[in-house]
Amino acid sequence: MTAYEDVIAKYEPVIGLETHVELGTVSKMFCGCSTEFGGDPNTHTCPVCLGLPGALPVANEKAIESTIRIGLALNCSIAEWCRFARKNYFYPDMPKNFQTSQYDEPLCVEGYLDVEVDGETYRVGIERVHLEEDTGKNTHVGTSGRIHGADYSLVDYNRAGIPLVEIVTKPVPGTGALAPEVAKAYVTALRDILRTLDVSDVRMEQGSLRCDVNTSLNLPGAEWGTRTETKNVNSLRSVERAVRSEILRQAEVLDAGGRIVQETRHFQETTGDTRRGRSKEEATDYRYFPEPDLVPMAPDPAWVATLKDTLPELPAARRARMRDVLGVSADDMVHLTNAGVVDLVGATVEAGAPVGEARNWWLGYLAQKANEREVDPADLGVTPAHVARLVALVADGSLSTALARQVVDGILETGADVDTVVAERGLAVVSDTGALEQAADDAIAANPDVAEKVRGGKLPAVGALVGAVMKATRGQADAAAVKQILLARLGVSE
Ligand code: ADP
Ligand code: MG
Ligand code: ZN
């Protein structure tokens, strides 16, 4: 058994995820400043997001709408009345000395998201979805890059006040050895939903989707253990690695008779380990109180009902529908999902290709090309419409499969469409019998010994002549047809 299997045989992991999503609104949460990424430092600021005395916030309706839509997509109940709260703390990334957030009155509560791992469904309970504002960005200048030992620090408030939604799961027990995979599957499913809702660009590497991963271990039958909260988890793969490494680390502490301390830990991308951060044993007292400068939110139930009715088709429903459209088995569907090509195959079928062909292209040659280029199949630059056209040309005999692959190479190099590549590169199958007969005669003349053998009854020798003709036609002839022509010219029959 591996060390990990040993640990799982002894302990039960519990996971919990806190995810922050920066909404893609045009303006900030409580003022009209731009949310655009990458402006010069402190150019997207005003008295409200700088927390100047007397400035008054006004809540961004679009952000509230997006939060409610997220809650609805996660099967939550939407509060009929709730308030923002002040979370008081002093840190220079928040010039107001408090963050406007939500405390005991979140907009959305009590939902769930079902995620699938290896064909099994795990229900992840959603505790709350609330709306808050992002903080500014500190840069500590000096060799350490951290506040300790920095020569000086710079603060950029462009990000301060960007609407931020926090999605907190309930603790998830019962995943056993698959805890890391379930954590990753949850963040993946959540990201796909957020993308479908079009509320955020959900880019983990740019920080518009950020995830804190809580992990604990307990002995079977015992109460849940003390959790640690791993921050800095900047990719889906890291979510999985963070849970796994934290399970291993905690087991080692527990096996040695130690106890787990409730603390934040920081994920190290290079080593895959977590490093101790700040202790959370004594809860920070943020002195939350209802925000007096903002009116309570009371979303009209009729409006919420409309938002619910107008949600787009969510990924799980789309997958179920695609499975019907494609008529594939559950296993095949898992295979297509893992390869990230369900929608691509679906769209290729909708563009007129048979399912089998669409599937073969996306799982075969195109998957290989995407892999080589280290991009998702969807970002390859070959579209379902291209593939449907290729399939049609192969079906009517204008292209062989080998030629169709060359067309794909051409699309990847030039970005042109199928017919343009075929025309520019002269990739159509040579079906002109006269041209093929001429090439066959040339091959016979150039290889008299081989021709003699074939005439003498050694039929397999004709392969060398077929090869010569294929070479002369740059692979654009149908090999079976070439063979028949050669045999006929040599006066032998099979
Ligand atoms: P905090 O602000 O202290 O991080 P939150 O309530 O925002 O607290 O989030 C706590 C997260 O930890 C939730 O996702 C919750 O499900 C998870 N959690 C709570 N208890 C455990 C536990 N024993 N093991 C793993 N995760 C847990
Ligand atoms: Mg937290
Ligand atoms: Zn502002």
Side-chain angles (χ1 to χ4, degrees), residues 108-173:
C108 323
V109 293
E110 294 297 323
Y112 62 84
L113 174 57
D114 286 335
V115 300
E116 252 184 58
V117 174
D118 289 351
E120 285 282 325
T121 303
Y122 296 85
R123 176 156 292 189
V124 177
I126 304 292
E127 175 84 34
R128 55 191 280 142
V129 177
H130 81 229
L131 185 52
E132 58 187 43
E133 57 181 334
D134 211 346
T135 57
K137 188 169 179 288
N138 292 338
T139 306
H140 304 296
V141 182
T143 44
S144 69
R146 304 173 58 118
I147 194 161
H148 300 288
D151 297 327
Y152 58 93
S153 296
L154 299 168
V155 198
D156 176 6
Y157 291 118
N158 283 354
R159 201 181 62 186
I162 291 186
L164 197 62
V165 168
E166 180 169 0
I167 301 158
V168 182
T169 73
K170 294 178 185 293
V172 187

Side-chain angles (χ1 to χ4, degrees), residues 31 33 45-46 49:
C31 61
C33 289
T45 55
C46 73
C49 56

